[in-house]
Amino acid sequence: MSRARRIRVFRKGALNAAGIVVFLLAVFPVFWMASTAFKPNTEIFSSTPKPLPSNPTLDHFDLVLNGGIAETSFWVYFRNSAVLALVTVLVSGLLALLAATAVARFRFRFRTTFLIMLLVVQMVPCEALVISLFLNLKQFGLLNSLPGLVIVYVGFAVPFAIWMLRGFVAAVPKELEEAAAIDGASPIRTFFTVLLPLVAPGLVATSIFSFITAWNEFIFAFTFLDDQDKYTLPIMLQFFFGRSGNAWGPIMAASTLLTIPVIIFFLLVQRRMVSGLTAGAVKG
């Protein structure tokens, strides 16, 4: 084996080893969370913790699902979070796709300024906007309502989605749209049959970001909602923290249940990140 080949093999092995280490470091907290959710309290507070439960139990999950501490059923919180996340994904995806198409395909005044402002918006901490958003929602009568939260979540998801989708739209050759126009396709038909399938992977990537943003958000939901029947899952976790102590078993069980929908959503849409990348780009 030549020296150059040995170096390439060593470099490839080192990169694979580093990837495995990073993967284990990222997965270990999730593994420990799920493992703790099945441990009885005696094992959770044991001085010699074990990675896997010796006597698995479902008591913590039963306590969470039946509202033993949070008083309201888990499914009420789940419904609110699901509605917020799905509506945010649909609305932000539609608005971002239209705006990204306009930015990538047309030249207009202040176009560069608009793109720079999208980046500036992403730099503003969410905590700095709580008071102003609170006053705005109160003025329009949207406090303590899920539609008000949807507006806030869409406002935070759209700038990032526009910036990401702009690159996908710009990468689609204009010749494809021109060929469709020559064949007699209207602009709307060209948009749905030519551009949309090619931009679908980017739309899926932005939908994942929007879903996670709305699903995990806590500060705005905790500040703007006052009715327990409208609380979301992240707020539900607060019921398991108390002055007398924290119920770590239910906390880990609720966190595990909170993570499952995100994983399911990603598995459902991840294939579209690859398929559709070149769909409709060639003919014959």
Side-chain angles (χ1 to χ4, degrees):
M1 184 182 296
S2 64
R3 176 180 176 84
R5 186 176 180 183
R6 287 198 301 268
I7 292 176
R8 287 196 299 269
V9 172
F10 174 78
R11 182 179 300 173
K12 184 177 180 180
L15 291 175
N16 290 336
I20 293 174
V21 171
V22 172
F23 172 78
L24 293 177
L25 291 175
V27 170
F28 179 76
V30 181
F31 162 77
W32 195 264
M33 173 190 70
S35 174
T36 305
F38 291 95
K39 293 179 181 178
N41 289 329
T42 55
E43 295 186 25
I44 293 176
F45 297 101
S46 174
S47 58
T48 55
K50 298 179 181 179
L52 295 175
S54 301
N55 300 299
T57 179
L58 295 176
D59 291 343
H60 303 312
F61 289 95
D62 180 69
L63 188 64
V64 172
L65 294 175
N66 293 328
I69 296 179
E71 297 180 358
T72 302
S73 173
F74 169 86
W75 301 109
V76 174
Y77 304 117
F78 178 86
R79 179 199 62 197
N80 296 336
S81 292
V83 169
L84 285 172
L86 294 178
V87 174
T88 300
V89 168
L90 294 176
V91 175
S92 63
L94 177 62
L95 295 178
L97 180 58
L98 296 177
T101 303
V103 171
R105 285 290 187 258
F106 303 105
R107 297 293 182 266
F108 51 88
R109 293 185 62 185
F110 305 113
R111 175 175 172 271
T112 303
T113 304
F114 174 73
L115 293 175
I116 293 175
M117 290 304 299
L118 293 179
L119 291 179
V120 173
V121 169
Q122 298 297 311
M123 299 177 186
V124 179
C126 299
E127 295 79 2
L129 302 176
V130 172
I131 296 177
S132 58
L133 289 174
F134 181 91
L135 296 177
N136 289 334
L137 292 180
K138 182 179 180 180
Q139 180 180 0
F140 290 101
L142 293 174
L143 271 182
N144 193 31
S145 68
L146 297 183
L149 272 184
V150 168
I151 295 175
V152 174
Y153 294 164
V154 169
F156 279 97
V158 164
F160 176 82
I162 293 175
W163 188 265
M164 178 176 288
L165 285 174
R166 170 182 168 273
F168 282 86
V169 175
V172 177
K174 292 184 179 179
E175 290 75 10
L176 295 177
E177 300 177 33
E178 294 172 354
I182 293 174
D183 290 339
S186 63
I188 296 179
R189 184 176 180 183
T190 301
F191 177 82
F192 284 103
T193 60
V194 177
L195 185 61
L196 184 59
L198 297 176
V199 182
L203 197 58
V204 169
T206 56
S207 69
I208 294 174
F209 168 80
S210 301
F211 184 88
I212 294 176
T213 298
W215 185 263
N216 292 336
E217 202 283 321
F218 170 77
I219 295 177
F220 293 125
F222 187 72
T223 305
F224 300 155
L225 297 178
D226 192 34
D227 187 353
Q228 188 167 342
D229 290 335
K230 298 178 182 178
Y231 283 173
T232 58
L233 287 174
I235 300 179
M236 182 198 69
L237 289 176
Q238 296 301 303
F239 290 102
F240 301 107
F241 294 89
R243 295 182 178 179
S244 58
N246 303 326
W248 290 112
I251 290 174
M252 295 303 173
S255 300
T256 302
L257 294 173
L258 188 63
T259 305
I260 293 176
V262 178
I263 298 175
I264 294 176
F265 181 81
F266 176 78
L267 293 177
L268 290 176
V269 301
Q270 59 90 19
R271 290 186 179 181
R272 289 296 301 173
M273 298 184 69
V274 179
S275 65
L277 186 59
T278 57
V282 295
K283 181 178 181 181

